[in-house]
Amino acid sequence: MSIPDTAGTVYLVGAGPGDPGLLTVKARELVECCDLLVYDALVSPAIMAMANPKAERIFVGKRGGESSAKQDDINSVLADRAREGKTIVRLKGGDPYLFGRGAEEALFLLDRGVRVEVVPGVTAGIAAPAYAGIPVTHREHASAVAFVTGHEDPDKPESALDWAALSKVGTLCFYMGVKNLGRIAGELSKHLPRTTPVALVQWGTTPKQRSVAGTLADIEQKVADAGIQAPALTVVGNVIALRERLNFFEQRPLFGKRVVVTRSRAQASDLAEHLEALGAQALRFPTIRIAPPEDTRSFSAAVGKLANFGWVVLTSVNGVDALFEELDRQNRDARAFGAAKVAAIGPATRDRLAARGIKADLVPPQYVAESIVASLKDAGVFAKKDPAPRFLLARADIARSALPEQLRELGADVTETIAYTTVLETEGQDEALAALAAGEVDAVTFTSSSTARNFAEILGKERLAKALALPRLKCLSIGPITSATMRELKLPLHGEAAEHDIPGLVALLRKTLEA
Ligand code: SAH
């Protein structure tokens, strides 16, 4: 999607509160098509991932105690780059005009003749409470709501806020107020009963969301006990009473659970999104990276005469991708299969084939090599010995030998080619490693022998032993082959999926963690 005539415009875009699903359609279109993204600390990485990989990114937020870029510097970057004719998205958390200095940036740019447009966003002041079961208005509890800054200079003796007036509003939503919580509660207590409900929602709408509720009298202590820090939204008012019933987000089955996902970066999102939809925090720990084989000649040759095979067997989505990339290099397409039949090891591989226009002729009931052989046998594939049925196996360099051996025993003529290799991934593991070290992980999932092997290798003996010593940490496997490797590596095995696919693994996680 591209939006016409955007060159030289700065779009002040609200990125929403955190859940990437709460981004507006217009914001998404602009993020996808812009040349330059200038973004703040609270913009979710999932939203940044929507941008064109070629787009330039400039981070101007605060990170790890460092001070944020100076407003003057941000302003001049925006103006200079707009004059170069770039399409610029200035992405801000929540809504750009709510405590986001959006209007200051817009006025600066307009003064210099730069075209500015604004795309409002879903603000944390409404969304974070909503995801914690708190509606900001309700006919019986509050007829008005105020968005208030909680970020006042604590050394200033006089508050710029009219606390008496605020206490009459109904619902109050304080932004940036965690550090000043004591002062806020104290000022409001002069005008409201000490029993007035207060709630804080940290990292609202994200898998990291946490919330705590109390009263003006005890909220400061409760927040300290719970260790809640910025970014958090503070809500004050009787609407908080509805929280028990409306708290859909925190009542999801895996809410608050942390699960390490060890698949390759490209494949992790499938399992991770499943888990996030159930409320878990998926910690992506890519252990393998898919790369082309060192020598592609035999694979190219086999793909070159695809239609000569009776059966093409694909045992992973990576194999499907590699095959179609090779066809593309040869300037060919799905028609190259001709009359060859296609077997897929399981539903994910079948679906990836379907997306490329190929309907698999065979998907075995169990998603392992042995089951493919049995299904082929049942289908009468080996009944005729002359000529022997010809098979092409397009697989990984480390694939097991069971499949070709069993096919050959049955009289098949088998061509094995290496479609891709799996190499040890070294990047993108920091968050999961930190959570493992801090003992914050509930489960680690393994979806193949290589994910288990590389996980053990990346952690190393000492870190692995320490992480596994935690009684609450469960190690879960997708199926028997992966389980065998886990045993070999002396990894504990707390469960094996009954169905050896991602939904099967998700079902096992639910059974294990929903205690
Ligand atoms: N323009 C933003 C607010 C920027 S001020 C908006 O409209 O939401 C930053 C403050 O917003 C934080 O200190 C915190 O109080 C609040 N905030 C932003 N994202 C939040 C989230 N996901 N959960 C809770 N509070 C959040």
Side-chain angles (χ1 to χ4, degrees), residues 306-343:
L306 209 51
N308 292 2
F309 292 95
W311 282 90
V312 178
V313 182
L314 291 154
T315 49
S316 76
V317 294
N318 302 318
V320 177
D321 288 347
L323 195 151
F324 277 88
E325 276 157 29
E326 179 55 33
L327 278 177
D328 196 50
R329 267 192 293 276
Q330 298 181 8
N331 208 13
R332 297 158 75 214
D333 59 27
R335 287 170 294 180
F337 279 86
K341 292 210 156 133
V342 182

Side-chain angles (χ1 to χ4, degrees), residues 17 42 93-95 98-100 123-124 128 174-176 201-204 231-233:
L42 288 177
D95 179 89
L98 248 163
F99 305 129
T123 187
F174 289 92
Y175 293 69
M176 306 170 283
V201 188
Q202 180 186 23
W203 286 117
L233 208 283

Side-chain angles (χ1 to χ4, degrees), residues 416-499:
E416 277 182 88
T417 58
I418 298 173
Y420 62 95
T421 63
T422 57
V423 293
L424 192 83
E425 178 62 277
T426 52
E427 282 171 22
Q429 299 154 344
D430 294 350
E431 195 189 7
L433 279 171
L436 281 164
E440 292 171 349
V441 174
D442 297 281
V444 183
T445 55
F446 297 103
T447 50
S448 67
S449 292
S450 44
T451 59
R453 235 177 234 123
N454 292 1
F455 177 80
E457 185 173 338
I458 292 163
L459 263 86
K461 264 209 183 97
E462 222 167 278
R463 272 198 298 190
L464 188 64
K466 222 175 123 204
L468 298 177
L470 213 77
R472 89 159 198 255
L473 183 103
K474 304 283 184 248
C475 292
L476 305 176
S477 147
I478 197 166
I481 314 296
T482 305
S483 302
T485 306
M486 287 169 67
R487 283 193 206 96
E488 190 189 301
L489 293 164
K490 303 215 163 32
L491 290 172
L493 179 64
H494 298 102
E496 180 184 295
E499 296 273 326

Side-chain angles (χ1 to χ4, degrees), residues 125 129 134-138 141-148 166-174 188 192 196-197 233-240:
I134 304 166
V136 290
T137 74
H138 181 281
H141 301 285
S143 303
V145 52
F147 298 124
V148 190
L166 282 176
S167 64
K168 295 194 185 73
V169 167
T171 305
L172 302 175
C173 297
F174 289 92
L188 288 173
L192 288 167
T196 305
L233 208 283
T234 305
V235 196
V236 180
N238 292 329
V239 283
I240 293 168

